[in-house]
Amino acid sequence: MTDPDNRRGGPKYIKRAYRGRNIMLVLVVILVVFAGIFGFRALGNAQKAVDKSYESAGFEKARNTDKLLKGRKPFSILLMGTDTGELGRKYKGRTDSMMLAVVNPKKQTTTLVSLPRDTIIAPVGYENQFPTKLNSAYELGSAETSMQTVQAWLNVPVDYYALVNMRGLEQVVNELGGIKVTSPLSFKYNPDTAHEDAGNLYEFKKGSSDFTHTGKDGKTKSYNKMDGAAALAFSRMRYQDPEGDYGRQARQRLVLEGIASKGLSNPVQLADQGFLSAISKSVKTDLSFDNIQQISGNYLPAGKNIKTDHLVGKAYNTRSGSAEYISNETKQGVTDNLRKELDLAPAETGPPYGGAVDMYTADQHALPVP
C-alpha cells in the first residue's frame, strides 16, 4: 500500500502484525459461544445472555447477512470498544477503538484493520457535523451510523457489529477471579487523573505480568494477576504510550485475550450466571444466537491465520481538535485487500470523508478537497 506520509513500515508495523493473534478466540468468548461446551441448561443460559446483548443495527444492510453465514461465505464485522457508560442503558458515547474484521472460512484467514479514532469524517446522515472524528459516529447515531460511515468511507460492506464496554468488563474479570496479562511496555498510571499521580497509582513492567498498586494511604502492594480495576487501568492509558491509540488498542486486545484464556482454561465457570450476566452487560451486537452458533461451527479455523493492517494519515487541526486526514490513495490499498478477502470484485475506495462533502465546505475548514 502506498503511504504518502511515509509513516508506516519498519519494526513497529511488523511488531503490530502479531497483535491480532487470537482475535477470533476473543470474539467467540466475548459473544458467549458456548455451544458444544456445556450441557443443555448452560446452553440455555448462554442463549439468554446473547439475547440480552442483541441490538439490531437498525437499517437495511448492503447484503443478506444471514444468507452469508448459512452459505459459509466471508463476512465482515465492525468491532468497537468504549470504556464509559453501561451498555444495558440507551448509552451514547464515543468509541475509543474501532477495527474492521473480515473472516474468510475458505481461506481460513481473518483480516483485521485498525481504524484511527481521530480520522476526519462526515458521518453518514450527519454530514452537517463535518468535520468531526470517526469515533463520534456512534455518539451521533449509534451502531447504524458507525457501520454506514465505515462502509461508505472504505466502500466495503459492513455486515455486523460488536460493541465492547471495557469498563463493564471490570465485572467480567472479577467474575473470572482475575487474569494474567504481560505488559508490552513499562508505565505508571492513575485512572483517576490519567497521569502518573499518586493516590491510586498502578505501575506495570514491560515483559512481565507482575505489577504494583499504591493506594491513597501510600502503601504499595505487588500482584501477579489483574482484578477488574487493574485491567481497566492497564487498557485505558494512552498519553504515555509511544504508539498512542494504536498502543491502547493493542493493550485492550491483550485484556480480551486474557479473559478468553482464563475462561477457556476452566469452561465450567463460564456457565455461571454471574459471568453470563456480566458479559451481557458488557457487549452489544447484532449477531443473533443462531448467527453465533453458525460462526462457532463453521468459521473458527479462520482464527488460525490472522492478518492485521492499519491506516495512518496526516495531522490537521479541526474544530474537533487534532485529527487525521487519510487520503484515498492510502485507503485504496485497504479497500482492495478487504474486498478481496470478502470475495468481492475490485472497486474504487469510498469518498474521502465517508458522507458527502462538497469542495467549498472542505476548503472552508482548510482541509483537502474531495
Side-chain angles (χ1 to χ4, degrees), residues 316-340:
Y316 280 84
N317 288 318
T318 72
R319 68 182 184 186
S320 299
S322 179
E324 287 187 59
Y325 169 74
I326 298 177
S327 69
N328 271 26
E329 183 181 12
T330 299
K331 284 198 299 159
Q332 187 64 57
V334 168
T335 295
D336 291 341
N337 188 34
L338 292 177
R339 291 186 67 89
K340 181 179 180 181

mmCIF file of all heavy atoms in Angstrom, residues 316-340:
data_model
loop_
_atom_site.group_PDB
_atom_site.id
_atom_site.type_symbol
_atom_site.label_atom_id
_atom_site.label_comp_id
_atom_site.label_asym_id
_atom_site.label_seq_id
_atom_site.Cartn_x
_atom_site.Cartn_y
_atom_site.Cartn_z
ATOM 1 N N TYR A 316 -4.144 17.219 11.161
ATOM 2 C CA TYR A 316 -4.768 18.518 10.913
ATOM 3 C C TYR A 316 -5.427 18.993 12.204
ATOM 4 O O TYR A 316 -5.835 18.179 13.035
ATOM 5 C CB TYR A 316 -5.856 18.421 9.829
ATOM 6 C CG TYR A 316 -5.332 18.411 8.415
ATOM 7 C CD1 TYR A 316 -4.895 17.224 7.837
ATOM 8 C CD2 TYR A 316 -5.280 19.570 7.653
ATOM 9 C CE1 TYR A 316 -4.417 17.198 6.530
ATOM 10 C CE2 TYR A 316 -4.802 19.552 6.346
ATOM 11 C CZ TYR A 316 -4.384 18.370 5.793
ATOM 12 O OH TYR A 316 -3.907 18.336 4.503
ATOM 13 N N ASN A 317 -5.544 20.303 12.346
ATOM 14 C CA ASN A 317 -6.306 20.864 13.450
ATOM 15 C C ASN A 317 -7.700 21.224 12.945
ATOM 16 O O ASN A 317 -7.848 21.948 11.959
ATOM 17 C CB ASN A 317 -5.617 22.110 14.026
ATOM 18 C CG ASN A 317 -4.368 21.762 14.809
ATOM 19 O OD1 ASN A 317 -4.368 20.788 15.567
ATOM 20 N ND2 ASN A 317 -3.319 22.537 14.639
ATOM 21 N N THR A 318 -8.723 20.708 13.598
ATOM 22 C CA THR A 318 -10.100 20.978 13.225
ATOM 23 C C THR A 318 -10.855 21.506 14.430
ATOM 24 O O THR A 318 -10.319 21.591 15.534
ATOM 25 C CB THR A 318 -10.802 19.701 12.717
ATOM 26 O OG1 THR A 318 -11.045 18.824 13.823
ATOM 27 C CG2 THR A 318 -9.947 18.980 11.683
ATOM 28 N N ARG A 319 -12.119 21.828 14.236
ATOM 29 C CA ARG A 319 -12.928 22.316 15.352
ATOM 30 C C ARG A 319 -13.136 21.227 16.402
ATOM 31 O O ARG A 319 -13.511 21.510 17.538
ATOM 32 C CB ARG A 319 -14.284 22.811 14.851
ATOM 33 C CG ARG A 319 -15.202 21.722 14.321
ATOM 34 C CD ARG A 319 -16.498 22.300 13.807
ATOM 35 N NE ARG A 319 -17.425 21.250 13.373
ATOM 36 C CZ ARG A 319 -18.580 21.486 12.771
ATOM 37 N NH1 ARG A 319 -18.935 22.739 12.503
ATOM 38 N NH2 ARG A 319 -19.372 20.497 12.424
ATOM 39 N N SER A 320 -12.888 19.973 16.018
ATOM 40 C CA SER A 320 -12.982 18.854 16.961
ATOM 41 C C SER A 320 -11.641 18.552 17.603
ATOM 42 O O SER A 320 -11.498 17.572 18.335
ATOM 43 C CB SER A 320 -13.495 17.599 16.234
ATOM 44 O OG SER A 320 -14.769 17.813 15.691
ATOM 45 N N GLY A 321 -10.637 19.403 17.328
ATOM 46 C CA GLY A 321 -9.303 19.176 17.874
ATOM 47 C C GLY A 321 -8.379 18.543 16.855
ATOM 48 O O GLY A 321 -8.691 18.472 15.657
ATOM 49 N N SER A 322 -7.246 18.071 17.318
ATOM 50 C CA SER A 322 -6.280 17.440 16.432
ATOM 51 C C SER A 322 -6.866 16.172 15.838
ATOM 52 O O SER A 322 -7.460 15.349 16.538
ATOM 53 C CB SER A 322 -5.001 17.107 17.208
ATOM 54 O OG SER A 322 -4.056 16.462 16.378
ATOM 55 N N ALA A 323 -6.726 16.019 14.523
ATOM 56 C CA ALA A 323 -7.336 14.888 13.833
ATOM 57 C C ALA A 323 -6.436 14.432 12.692
ATOM 58 O O ALA A 323 -5.398 15.038 12.417
ATOM 59 C CB ALA A 323 -8.721 15.271 13.310
ATOM 60 N N GLU A 324 -6.839 13.323 12.037
ATOM 61 C CA GLU A 324 -6.060 12.757 10.942
ATOM 62 C C GLU A 324 -6.873 12.748 9.653
ATOM 63 O O GLU A 324 -8.039 12.356 9.655
ATOM 64 C CB GLU A 324 -5.655 11.313 11.250
ATOM 65 C CG GLU A 324 -4.575 11.132 12.279
ATOM 66 C CD GLU A 324 -4.143 9.680 12.388
ATOM 67 O OE1 GLU A 324 -3.697 9.115 11.369
ATOM 68 O OE2 GLU A 324 -4.275 9.100 13.476
ATOM 69 N N TYR A 325 -6.238 13.187 8.567
ATOM 70 C CA TYR A 325 -6.841 13.023 7.242
ATOM 71 C C TYR A 325 -6.157 11.848 6.560
ATOM 72 O O TYR A 325 -4.934 11.795 6.441
ATOM 73 C CB TYR A 325 -6.652 14.284 6.393
ATOM 74 C CG TYR A 325 -7.012 14.074 4.942
ATOM 75 C CD1 TYR A 325 -8.347 13.979 4.552
ATOM 76 C CD2 TYR A 325 -6.020 13.949 3.974
ATOM 77 C CE1 TYR A 325 -8.689 13.765 3.219
ATOM 78 C CE2 TYR A 325 -6.353 13.735 2.638
ATOM 79 C CZ TYR A 325 -7.688 13.647 2.267
ATOM 80 O OH TYR A 325 -8.020 13.435 0.943
ATOM 81 N N ILE A 326 -6.949 10.885 6.115
ATOM 82 C CA ILE A 326 -6.417 9.708 5.429
ATOM 83 C C ILE A 326 -6.822 9.792 3.963
ATOM 84 O O ILE A 326 -8.012 9.787 3.632
ATOM 85 C CB ILE A 326 -6.931 8.417 6.077
ATOM 86 C CG1 ILE A 326 -6.454 8.351 7.535
ATOM 87 C CG2 ILE A 326 -6.449 7.195 5.300
ATOM 88 C CD1 ILE A 326 -6.957 7.166 8.302
ATOM 89 N N SER A 327 -5.835 9.895 3.110
ATOM 90 C CA SER A 327 -6.087 10.106 1.687
ATOM 91 C C SER A 327 -6.712 8.876 1.036
ATOM 92 O O SER A 327 -6.579 7.745 1.527
ATOM 93 C CB SER A 327 -4.775 10.437 0.971
ATOM 94 O OG SER A 327 -3.927 9.296 0.949
ATOM 95 N N ASN A 328 -7.372 9.093 -0.089
ATOM 96 C CA ASN A 328 -7.933 7.972 -0.838
ATOM 97 C C ASN A 328 -6.859 7.049 -1.362
ATOM 98 O O ASN A 328 -7.074 5.842 -1.525
ATOM 99 C CB ASN A 328 -8.801 8.494 -1.992
ATOM 100 C CG ASN A 328 -10.242 8.701 -1.563
ATOM 101 O OD1 ASN A 328 -10.511 8.919 -0.380
ATOM 102 N ND2 ASN A 328 -11.165 8.645 -2.504
ATOM 103 N N GLU A 329 -5.689 7.602 -1.634
ATOM 104 C CA GLU A 329 -4.574 6.761 -2.094
ATOM 105 C C GLU A 329 -4.207 5.745 -1.014
ATOM 106 O O GLU A 329 -3.944 4.574 -1.307
ATOM 107 C CB GLU A 329 -3.371 7.637 -2.438
ATOM 108 C CG GLU A 329 -2.189 6.848 -3.005
ATOM 109 C CD GLU A 329 -0.992 7.723 -3.334
ATOM 110 O OE1 GLU A 329 -0.991 8.912 -2.919
ATOM 111 O OE2 GLU A 329 -0.064 7.228 -3.987
ATOM 112 N N THR A 330 -4.186 6.194 0.232
ATOM 113 C CA THR A 330 -3.874 5.293 1.343
ATOM 114 C C THR A 330 -5.011 4.309 1.575
ATOM 115 O O THR A 330 -4.789 3.115 1.790
ATOM 116 C CB THR A 330 -3.607 6.101 2.626
ATOM 117 O OG1 THR A 330 -2.486 6.957 2.422
ATOM 118 C CG2 THR A 330 -3.327 5.184 3.803
ATOM 119 N N LYS A 331 -6.242 4.808 1.530
ATOM 120 C CA LYS A 331 -7.400 3.945 1.768
ATOM 121 C C LYS A 331 -7.546 2.858 0.718
ATOM 122 O O LYS A 331 -8.043 1.763 1.004
ATOM 123 C CB LYS A 331 -8.683 4.779 1.783
ATOM 124 C CG LYS A 331 -8.919 5.583 3.037
ATOM 125 C CD LYS A 331 -10.387 5.992 3.105
ATOM 126 C CE LYS A 331 -10.776 6.846 1.922
ATOM 127 N NZ LYS A 331 -12.213 6.854 1.662
ATOM 128 N N GLN A 332 -7.155 3.160 -0.531
ATOM 129 C CA GLN A 332 -7.411 2.241 -1.633
ATOM 130 C C GLN A 332 -6.794 0.868 -1.381
ATOM 131 O O GLN A 332 -7.404 -0.168 -1.672
ATOM 132 C CB GLN A 332 -6.881 2.813 -2.944
ATOM 133 C CG GLN A 332 -7.254 1.983 -4.169
ATOM 134 C CD GLN A 332 -8.746 1.942 -4.426
ATOM 135 O OE1 GLN A 332 -9.391 2.971 -4.589
ATOM 136 N NE2 GLN A 332 -9.322 0.734 -4.450
ATOM 137 N N GLY A 333 -5.583 0.853 -0.830
ATOM 138 C CA GLY A 333 -4.932 -0.428 -0.563
ATOM 139 C C GLY A 333 -5.719 -1.279 0.425
ATOM 140 O O GLY A 333 -5.838 -2.502 0.264
ATOM 141 N N VAL A 334 -6.276 -0.634 1.452
ATOM 142 C CA VAL A 334 -7.078 -1.360 2.438
ATOM 143 C C VAL A 334 -8.377 -1.842 1.814
ATOM 144 O O VAL A 334 -8.811 -2.983 2.020
ATOM 145 C CB VAL A 334 -7.356 -0.464 3.667
ATOM 146 C CG1 VAL A 334 -8.419 -1.087 4.562
ATOM 147 C CG2 VAL A 334 -6.075 -0.241 4.452
ATOM 148 N N THR A 335 -9.014 -0.978 1.029
ATOM 149 C CA THR A 335 -10.241 -1.366 0.332
ATOM 150 C C THR A 335 -9.992 -2.564 -0.577
ATOM 151 O O THR A 335 -10.770 -3.533 -0.582
ATOM 152 C CB THR A 335 -10.784 -0.188 -0.498
ATOM 153 O OG1 THR A 335 -11.186 0.860 0.389
ATOM 154 C CG2 THR A 335 -11.970 -0.609 -1.348
ATOM 155 N N ASP A 336 -8.914 -2.519 -1.348
ATOM 156 C CA ASP A 336 -8.578 -3.630 -2.245
ATOM 157 C C ASP A 336 -8.436 -4.934 -1.470
ATOM 158 O O ASP A 336 -8.964 -5.981 -1.870
ATOM 159 C CB ASP A 336 -7.285 -3.337 -3.000
ATOM 160 C CG ASP A 336 -7.431 -2.221 -4.024
ATOM 161 O OD1 ASP A 336 -8.576 -1.916 -4.407
ATOM 162 O OD2 ASP A 336 -6.392 -1.660 -4.433
ATOM 163 N N ASN A 337 -7.718 -4.885 -0.365
ATOM 164 C CA ASN A 337 -7.443 -6.086 0.424
ATOM 165 C C ASN A 337 -8.712 -6.647 1.046
ATOM 166 O O ASN A 337 -8.976 -7.856 0.989
ATOM 167 C CB ASN A 337 -6.417 -5.767 1.506
ATOM 168 C CG ASN A 337 -5.947 -7.009 2.225
ATOM 169 O OD1 ASN A 337 -5.835 -8.085 1.637
ATOM 170 N ND2 ASN A 337 -5.677 -6.877 3.515
ATOM 171 N N LEU A 338 -9.526 -5.766 1.651
ATOM 172 C CA LEU A 338 -10.739 -6.237 2.313
ATOM 173 C C LEU A 338 -11.752 -6.802 1.317
ATOM 174 O O LEU A 338 -12.388 -7.826 1.578
ATOM 175 C CB LEU A 338 -11.367 -5.103 3.119
ATOM 176 C CG LEU A 338 -10.572 -4.635 4.346
ATOM 177 C CD1 LEU A 338 -11.261 -3.454 5.017
ATOM 178 C CD2 LEU A 338 -10.397 -5.768 5.348
ATOM 179 N N ARG A 339 -11.894 -6.142 0.182
ATOM 180 C CA ARG A 339 -12.829 -6.651 -0.832
ATOM 181 C C ARG A 339 -12.354 -8.003 -1.370
ATOM 182 O O ARG A 339 -13.169 -8.894 -1.636
ATOM 183 C CB ARG A 339 -12.998 -5.639 -1.965
ATOM 184 C CG ARG A 339 -13.745 -4.368 -1.541
ATOM 185 C CD ARG A 339 -14.022 -3.454 -2.742
ATOM 186 N NE ARG A 339 -14.955 -4.061 -3.667
ATOM 187 C CZ ARG A 339 -16.285 -3.944 -3.597
ATOM 188 N NH1 ARG A 339 -16.820 -3.231 -2.617
ATOM 189 N NH2 ARG A 339 -17.055 -4.522 -4.495
ATOM 190 N N LYS A 340 -11.065 -8.160 -1.519
ATOM 191 C CA LYS A 340 -10.519 -9.449 -1.968
ATOM 192 C C LYS A 340 -10.825 -10.540 -0.952
ATOM 193 O O LYS A 340 -11.225 -11.650 -1.317
ATOM 194 C CB LYS A 340 -9.004 -9.319 -2.182
ATOM 195 C CG LYS A 340 -8.350 -10.599 -2.681
ATOM 196 C CD LYS A 340 -6.858 -10.392 -2.902
ATOM 197 C CE LYS A 340 -6.194 -11.671 -3.394
ATOM 198 N NZ LYS A 340 -4.727 -11.475 -3.594
#
